[in-house]
Amino acid sequence: MPFIAIRKSITLAAFALALAGGLAAAGPAHADASGTGTTASAPQATAQAAETSATSSKKIRIKGTRVALRECPRTSCRLDTRVSNTTVRAYCQTNRHTSKVSGNTWWTKVSLLSGSDPAWVSNHYVRTAAPKVPHLRTC
């Protein structure tokens, strides 16, 4: 592989890492079928996916003790875990096919900052959500 192509792939990998905030490791690019160009490697695609998920989420604060995080956005859904006065990562919110909690039909899809499967919390328990979390996309 020519020196310029290697340098270009390293530069692209560093750029992808910078955009992803260092969440993924980037690897070298490889030649395409014709042997002339380069194509993105799997780690670079991972870095781009990490960038998308990181920019489409925000941290929110859960208020209250023993607040239920559920499998789906309804009170009848299975309980995943309970949290008390904590910060979580929010991905999106919805009011479709949800149950009302203290007059609020909006629910937010969240995960723990330490890492967990996604779960749902009623916006009634989200600080600054009246009735929606500001600047958070709809699912």
Side-chain angles (χ1 to χ4, degrees), residues 11-137:
T11 303
L12 288 173
F15 182 70
L17 265 176
L19 286 176
L23 296 175
H30 61 276
D32 61 11
S34 66
T36 57
T38 58
T39 57
S41 64
Q44 285 176 329
T46 303
Q48 291 167 353
E51 173 194 351
T52 301
S53 65
T55 58
S56 62
S57 68
K58 70 182 274 184
K59 292 179 183 178
I60 60 170
R61 185 84 178 150
I62 302 295
K63 60 183 179 182
T65 56
R66 300 190 41 78
V67 176
L69 300 184
R70 298 192 175 273
E71 190 175 75
C72 68
R74 290 184 292 281
T75 55
S76 60
C77 294
R78 185 179 69 79
L79 177 70
D80 278 342
T81 190
R82 290 190 181 270
V83 296
S84 298
N85 298 312
T86 190
T87 301
V88 294
R89 185 166 310 281
Y91 299 100
C92 61
Q93 59 190 334
T94 187
N95 68 344
R96 295 182 49 139
H97 310 293
T98 63
S99 52
K100 191 181 289 190
V101 176
S102 295
N104 193 339
T105 58
W106 285 89
W107 288 65
T108 300
K109 189 175 195 176
V110 300
S111 66
L112 300 177
L113 293 180
S114 61
S116 69
D117 288 336
W120 292 89
V121 64
S122 169
N123 279 11
H124 172 71
Y125 299 104
V126 177
R127 190 168 303 211
T128 71
K132 294 174 60 175
V133 177
H135 312 293
L136 185 65
R137 70 182 181 89

